[in-house]
Amino acid sequence: LDWWHADRYCEQRFAQLLFEPQDSEQASFSKLLQSHHIRGSVWLNERDGVLHKPKWRRDHIVPVLVFRDKTDTKYVKVLSDFPALPAVTACAHLQWDTRTQEIATIFSYAVPTFFNEFQLRGFVDEEGFVRFALIVHGHHSPYLPVFRADGQWHHFCVTWQQENGTWSIYADGKRRASASGLCAVGLSAPQAIYSQGTFIIGQDQDSLGGTFREKESFSGNITDLHIWQKVLGAEQIEKVRSCWVVEQDLVFGWSSNALEVESTVQEVTAQFLCPGPVEECRVFEVGSSGFSYASCLQSLPFICRYRKDAYWQLKKAQLESSHSLISRVNMLAERTVIPEDVFTSDVQDMNLSVALGALDVLATVLRKRETPVLESSDLLAVLQLLKQVSDVEVQEGEELEMLEPLGQYYVEVTELILEEQNIETWSSVSQVIRGPMAVVELCNRMVSHLAPLLTAGRTKVTIQHRNVGLRRVTVKNMWFGYGSLQRCLSGAGSSAVFQDVAASDGGQKYLSTTVGTAVISSTLLSDYQEISTSVRYRLQHRVQWMVISMCFLCFLLHVSPDAGGMWSTAGCSVVTSLPDSTACFCNHTTNFAVLLQVYEMQQRTTKEELTLQTLTFIGCGVSFCALIVTFILFLAVGVPKSERTTVHKNLILALAAAEALLMFSELAKTNQVVCFTVTAFLHLFFMAAFSWMLVEGLLLWSKVVAVNMSEDRRMKFYYVTGWGLPVLIVGVTLATSFNKYVADNHCWLNVQTNVIWAFVGPVLFILAVNTFVLFRVVMVTVSSARRRSKMLTPNSSLENQIGIQIWATAKPILVLLPVLGLTWVCGVLVHLSIIWAYVFIVLNSLQ
């Protein structure tokens, strides 16, 4: 195979091309190869990894003009109106007929005033080189060697510009000749090539558009002729050589519709392999034990090299395999889609149609498989097929409607092998495929197949199956949703390397670092080539742990997807970090995700959760009944009207309404509107209950400290605090956070956003104030009890005085704790232990 296909063949079988042996091993290695009847040159890999197939190197279907023999009749006329050309570049792919050494005219451009206006001629010299000469305005450059007459396809470009008459000839991407002064006449400046001429391929025009001579005609094959009204640079010529057209200032582009082909000229459609920018690849010379270079397109023997640990893991996977998945896929496809032995499988050609059928069958089998967990050999077989499909050369002439279903099946198969139950399978082949990041690189290759789908009317392509998707526009994007790739990366045995970052854990036990978002890949494309640029992105968190967000990116250690990857912060920084998302800025494009540090929190079982819900319902019921009875007693017994009874009544009313709504809030979850309404009223009544608890504290303070405010003015202030403040808080919260107000799973404020602080913030403030009030009241009560004890029983014993002091302290605490709402402080301790949750429920049931 050629170097590119040899490298691809080894990679598809989880191996690499042979690396250059050490100096001390060369002789023995050469003898080993000879003992296996291997002679000549053998392809070598590049240790520094710089030689990799360019993304723009490809096969494509083109019309080829065949001039079988030299005649005076065969010609092809270009149907294009040429403007005046102060500068010109003409490029084409050419296959020279080596049977003749006579001068041949590749093309000629004639105008009424000058038949030899612009022309390219050549011949084969005695040393076997094809020599070219450029003619402009009848002035002739010398014949100079440009490439060997070896019967192979070669690419050439000729350039000329009016200024100084500078000209150049390029062959196979290299400049072979250049000079200035072509067509300069005396002291006068060169003229532009005249417009409205006739361009003929394969003949010299001795009259405008005719009078051809056999001995000057062209014999060979020619394709991909393009003409520009400017001088292309070396980099642009390299692109043209690789079959990408530079659109700017293009005068004529190669097309059958723009050609008038004489009937005896054969026009065929052929598959043409565009050369890449790297011409020569390294080879090992068996026998001489030396190294040299050969054309990368040359077919040579090659050897695939396995690491020992990877080889034995592959052997083990194959020996332990039941081959059930492989057999079923091959049976449904009625052909060998996946070989049972990865080591001895032959080279298989795979085109778009074969790839589509293979993935269709594979997706069907994976969807309907009896056992949800893949065997190691099954996973390797699927990956091998994905590698082959991602390496398919998409031909320009193929039916493009096959590309979209191909991408859909590819994404579906990718999602199925990344399911969480396959984590252990990934771990079992970690030496062969170093983690599921291999799939990211394969999908990155697959995206390039979507390019032909982009047109002026369709500027983007999106393909998605559940958690995995591809998108192709000028910016190429991919995403792997949480639940597939992330769980494989974060799971036990994953080979991806995480860099755990020590951070202040606030007393929590640090457990691990996990992938907490989707993994995305972003690349900017220019002329189908990747260019790196800075990028800013925001990723939504997909975990519910208490976390510290760190902004990481993933870069692959090697271009080969088998190498896995590692996480790094190089070039990236956190812009903003919120509880539900993190925004990052990176100075280059690659694969991105946000890693979250996970801390241990108390996890409750389903039984414990059910017990807590039951106790809450019972406790709220008891509390509600007690509050209603108390309220009725206040009305029925005829308690004298006072500030204290009025405040008590309002507190009872607010707390009873809140408890009643809380008991039945679970029933409202099914209706979004009802749930929103219940949440708003729960917020209002609980906020009102705490506000009246604050009023209870202020009322106690007014009894302890002299306040210069009349009772009427105090009650107005109390009503504004008790009901006005809650209405204001709820109203502002609804106005600013309407869409983020309600939690996802129950009818209460959303704890994943800042909305929860519209309740927690005021509550913490009220508890702080009431704690200070309680402390002050206890001090006054204890002081009064001490004075009263000294006056009434001055000779009492020390033990008796201590008992009086303890009771003087305990009595106001026991009485005022529920009235001031200080039992809610236990809610802060709930996450520490299930015991505190039970204490919290019991205390607040007794409030």
Side-chain angles (χ1 to χ4, degrees):
L1 298 177
D2 63 49
W3 190 94
W4 310 107
H5 285 89
D7 182 60
R8 183 187 305 170
Y9 177 92
C10 292
E11 186 192 346
Q12 288 172 1
R13 285 147 186 84
F14 311 105
Q16 294 175 304
L17 270 181
L18 181 69
F19 279 102
E20 177 183 319
Q22 300 293 332
D23 293 342
S24 59
E25 301 173 347
Q26 290 177 14
S28 59
F29 184 69
S30 181
K31 289 179 181 179
L32 176 64
L33 295 183
Q34 291 180 64
S35 68
H36 287 81
H37 309 291
I38 298 175
R39 301 285 189 275
S41 301
V42 177
W43 288 128
L44 287 176
N45 209 331
E46 296 288 333
R47 285 192 178 275
D48 55 7
V50 296
L51 184 61
H52 288 284
K53 181 180 177 182
K55 295 187 182 302
W56 58 89
R57 181 183 179 274
R58 61 196 175 111
D59 296 338
H60 73 153
I61 306 298
V62 289
V64 177
L65 301 177
V66 180
F67 296 84
R68 197 171 295 280
D69 297 300
K70 293 173 73 72
T71 69
D72 59 358
T73 58
K74 292 180 180 178
Y75 74 93
V76 175
K77 182 179 179 180
V78 174
L79 303 177
S80 180
D81 294 329
F82 286 86
L85 300 172
V88 65
T89 299
C91 297
H93 284 92
L94 190 73
Q95 197 172 26
W96 197 273
D97 187 353
T98 58
R99 296 175 298 171
T100 177
Q101 293 186 332
E102 293 180 326
I103 289 177
T105 304
I106 295 115
F107 64 77
S108 63
Y109 176 74
V111 294
T113 57
F114 219 128
F115 300 148
N116 293 329
E117 181 67 1
F118 179 45
Q119 190 176 128
L120 181 65
R121 305 169 69 130
F123 73 93
V124 180
D125 65 14
E126 295 177 352
E127 297 178 354
F129 281 94
V130 176
R131 291 176 174 263
F132 276 179
L134 186 64
I135 301 174
V136 180
H137 291 321
H139 292 269
H140 207 297
S141 75
Y143 282 98
L144 297 170
V146 289
F147 55 81
R148 281 196 172 276
D150 52 10
Q152 301 295 319
W153 281 101
H154 294 276
H155 182 259
F156 74 85
C157 286
V158 293
T159 69
W160 176 87
Q161 59 183 343
Q162 178 181 344
E163 184 180 353
N164 298 326
T166 303
W167 60 275
S168 297
I169 298 177
Y170 291 81
D172 297 325
K174 296 180 180 179
R175 187 164 61 182
R176 306 296 184 180
S178 65
S180 60
L182 184 60
C183 95
V185 181
L187 298 176
S188 63
Q191 300 296 313
I193 294 173
Y194 294 116
S195 62
Q196 303 304 315
T198 301
F199 196 104
I200 298 293
I201 301 172
Q203 293 287 357
D204 176 22
Q205 305 173 61
D206 287 340
S207 65
L208 188 62
T211 314
F212 307 136
R213 290 189 289 179
E214 178 182 330
K215 65 177 183 179
E216 294 181 339
S217 64
F218 172 70
S219 177
N221 304 324
I222 189 168
T223 186
D224 264 359
L225 175 67
H226 293 81
I227 302 169
W228 295 265
Q229 57 179 346
K230 70 172 185 177
V231 174
L232 296 184
E235 185 176 341
Q236 290 175 311
I237 288 175
E238 183 58 56
K239 286 185 181 180
V240 173
R241 174 175 172 255
S242 300
C243 305
W244 293 114
V245 179
V246 177
E247 299 289 347
Q248 187 178 7
D249 296 321
L250 183 65
V251 175
F252 169 72
W254 188 246
S255 171
S256 298
N257 298 327
L259 299 174
E260 179 186 300
V261 183
E262 192 268 332
S263 59
T264 59
V265 175
Q266 188 179 2
E267 184 179 10
V268 298
T269 301
Q271 179 175 320
F272 187 75
L273 180 63
C274 299
V278 181
E279 280 189 291
E280 296 180 327
C281 299
R282 196 164 175 80
V283 295
F284 177 70
E285 299 293 349
V286 181
S288 64
S289 302
F291 302 100
S292 62
Y293 288 88
S295 170
C296 294
L297 300 178
Q298 186 177 346
S299 293
L300 291 176
F302 63 95
I303 298 172
C304 294
R305 168 188 174 272
Y306 287 90
R307 298 189 321 276
K308 284 185 179 180
D309 50 0
Y311 176 81
W312 289 116
Q313 202 167 71
L314 267 174
K315 291 287 286 185
K316 180 182 178 183
Q318 295 214 158
L319 289 172
E320 296 176 353
S321 172
S322 64
H323 297 297
S324 59
L325 182 139
I326 297 174
S327 301
R328 184 162 174 74
V329 169
N330 292 338
M331 182 183 68
L332 289 177
E334 298 180 345
R335 60 183 295 270
T336 304
V337 173
I338 305 175
E340 291 190 358
D341 191 341
V342 69
F343 298 109
T344 60
S345 55
D346 295 330
V347 179
Q348 293 181 331
D349 292 329
M350 181 171 286
N351 55 33
L352 202 59
S353 177
V354 173
L356 180 61
L359 283 186
D360 184 6
V361 172
L362 179 59
T364 302
V365 173
L366 287 174
R367 255 185 266 120
K368 299 178 179 179
R369 66 185 187 271
E370 296 177 358
T371 56
V373 180
L374 286 172
E375 293 182 4
S376 300
S377 59
D378 293 340
L379 178 60
L380 292 172
V382 172
L383 286 171
Q384 185 178 3
L385 182 60
L386 290 179
K387 285 169 180 278
Q388 289 179 303
V389 174
S390 64
D391 286 331
V392 167
E393 301 283 359
V394 178
Q395 311 299 334
E396 292 180 352
E398 290 189 285
E399 297 296 331
L400 297 183
E401 58 264 21
M402 286 192 288
L403 286 175
E404 204 151 353
L406 179 73
Q408 186 65 49
Y409 287 133
Y410 197 97
V411 167
E412 182 178 356
V413 170
T414 298
E415 208 279 337
L416 289 170
I417 65 174
L418 287 175
E419 289 180 344
E420 186 177 6
Q421 61 263 28
N422 293 321
I423 292 176
E424 292 301 323
T425 309
W426 280 99
S427 176
S428 68
V429 293
S430 59
Q431 298 302 324
V432 182
I433 294 288
R434 298 197 174 175
M437 281 305 295
V439 179
V440 176
E441 182 61 22
L442 289 177
C443 286
N444 196 32
R445 290 194 215 169
M446 186 62 201
V447 174
S448 62
H449 293 331
L450 304 181
L453 291 174
L454 297 178
T455 62
R458 187 179 188 184
T459 56
K460 70 176 183 178
V461 178
T462 302
I463 296 173
Q464 183 174 4
H465 184 269
R466 292 195 293 188
N467 288 316
V468 180
L470 310 172
R471 181 181 288 119
R472 178 67 183 259
V473 286
T474 303
V475 177
K476 177 177 64 179
N477 293 317
M478 294 188 300
W479 67 95
F480 296 80
Y482 189 81
S484 54
L485 179 65
Q486 287 70 16
R487 296 186 185 179
C488 290
L489 289 175
S490 304
S494 172
S495 61
V497 181
F498 294 102
Q499 183 180 359
D500 292 341
V501 180
S504 174
D505 59 17
Q508 299 295 320
K509 180 182 178 182
Y510 173 75
L511 294 180
S512 64
T513 300
T514 187
V515 183
T517 67
V519 172
I520 63 171
S521 175
S522 187
T523 307
L524 187 64
L525 302 175
S526 176
D527 293 333
Y528 298 99
Q529 298 181 48
E530 295 182 2
I531 57 176
S532 187
T533 184
S534 59
V535 60
R536 178 171 175 167
Y537 59 94
R538 178 179 292 279
L539 290 173
Q540 295 294 123
H541 298 165
R542 290 292 183 271
V543 288
Q544 301 299 320
W545 298 296
M546 188 165 88
V547 299
I548 296 175
S549 298
M550 298 296 295
C551 188
F552 283 75
L553 67 108
C554 175
F555 65 91
L556 300 181
L557 293 173
H558 304 283
V559 174
S560 168
D562 300 341
M566 66 171 292
W567 299 100
S568 169
T569 56
C572 285
S573 59
V574 177
V575 178
T576 57
S577 185
L578 300 174
D580 63 332
S581 64
T582 298
C584 304
F585 173 83
C586 293
N587 60 16
H588 59 290
T589 53
T590 182
N591 305 310
F592 302 101
V594 174
L595 301 192
L596 303 173
Q597 288 186 308
V598 185
Y599 293 84
E600 183 178 32
M601 294 184 68
Q602 184 67 33
Q603 299 296 320
R604 296 172 186 157
T605 64
T606 305
K607 184 178 180 181
E608 289 174 337
E609 288 289 349
L610 182 61
T611 303
L612 288 174
Q613 289 179 6
T614 304
L615 284 176
T616 300
F617 187 85
I618 295 172
C620 286
V622 172
S623 181
F624 178 78
C625 293
L627 289 167
I628 294 300
V629 170
T630 306
F631 191 81
I632 293 172
L633 287 174
F634 269 116
L635 297 177
V637 175
V639 179
K641 184 178 180 182
S642 66
E643 284 181 315
R644 180 180 296 175
T645 56
T646 303
V647 171
H648 283 347
K649 288 177 183 178
N650 280 277
L651 174 59
I652 290 169
L653 182 63
L655 198 56
E659 299 279 14
L661 280 173
L662 184 61
M663 282 191 293
F664 298 101
S665 63
E666 287 295 309
L667 302 177
K669 287 196 301 184
T670 54
N671 189 303
Q672 189 175 357
V673 176
V674 175
C675 185
F676 188 94
T677 305
V678 168
T679 300
F681 278 105
L682 272 175
H683 189 192
L684 175 66
F685 284 120
F686 269 117
M687 207 60 253
F690 275 97
S691 296
W692 282 106
M693 292 176 204
L694 174 64
V695 171
E696 292 275 10
L698 297 176
L699 182 62
L700 281 171
W701 183 265
S702 69
K703 302 301 180 181
V704 173
V705 180
V707 179
N708 296 322
M709 184 182 293
S710 67
E711 186 173 326
D712 290 339
R713 289 180 62 190
R714 277 204 308 268
M715 283 309 305
K716 289 179 182 179
F717 174 72
Y718 292 158
Y719 275 113
V720 169
T721 303
W723 293 110
L725 186 61
V727 170
L728 177 65
I729 292 172
V730 174
V732 170
T733 306
L734 287 172
T736 56
S737 305
F738 189 84
N739 295 325
K740 302 177 181 178
Y741 189 71
V742 182
D744 293 332
N745 301 320
H746 48 272
C747 301
W748 180 236
L749 300 179
N750 193 342
V751 298
Q752 300 299 322
T753 63
N754 292 326
V755 171
I756 191 62
W757 288 102
F759 177 73
V760 174
V763 167
L764 291 177
F765 172 77
I766 291 168
L767 293 179
V769 171
N770 283 356
T771 301
F772 179 75
V773 170
L774 178 63
F775 178 75
R776 183 73 177 121
V777 168
V778 169
M779 287 182 62
V780 171
T781 304
V782 170
S783 177
S784 299
R786 185 186 300 113
R787 289 197 302 270
R788 189 182 305 109
S789 175
K790 288 182 178 179
M791 292 174 58
L792 298 177
T793 56
N795 299 320
S796 63
S797 64
L798 179 61
E799 291 81 1
N800 189 32
Q801 291 183 13
I802 293 175
I804 293 173
Q805 295 295 317
I806 292 175
W807 176 245
T809 304
K811 182 179 178 180
I813 292 177
L814 291 173
V815 173
L816 295 178
L817 268 178
V819 175
L820 298 179
L822 296 181
T823 53
W824 283 76
V825 174
C826 295
V828 180
L829 308 175
V830 163
H831 71 281
L832 296 178
S833 172
I834 190 72
I835 302 301
W836 284 110
Y838 293 134
V839 171
F840 175 71
I841 290 172
V842 171
L843 288 179
N844 286 285
S845 298
L846 299 175
Q847 187 175 11

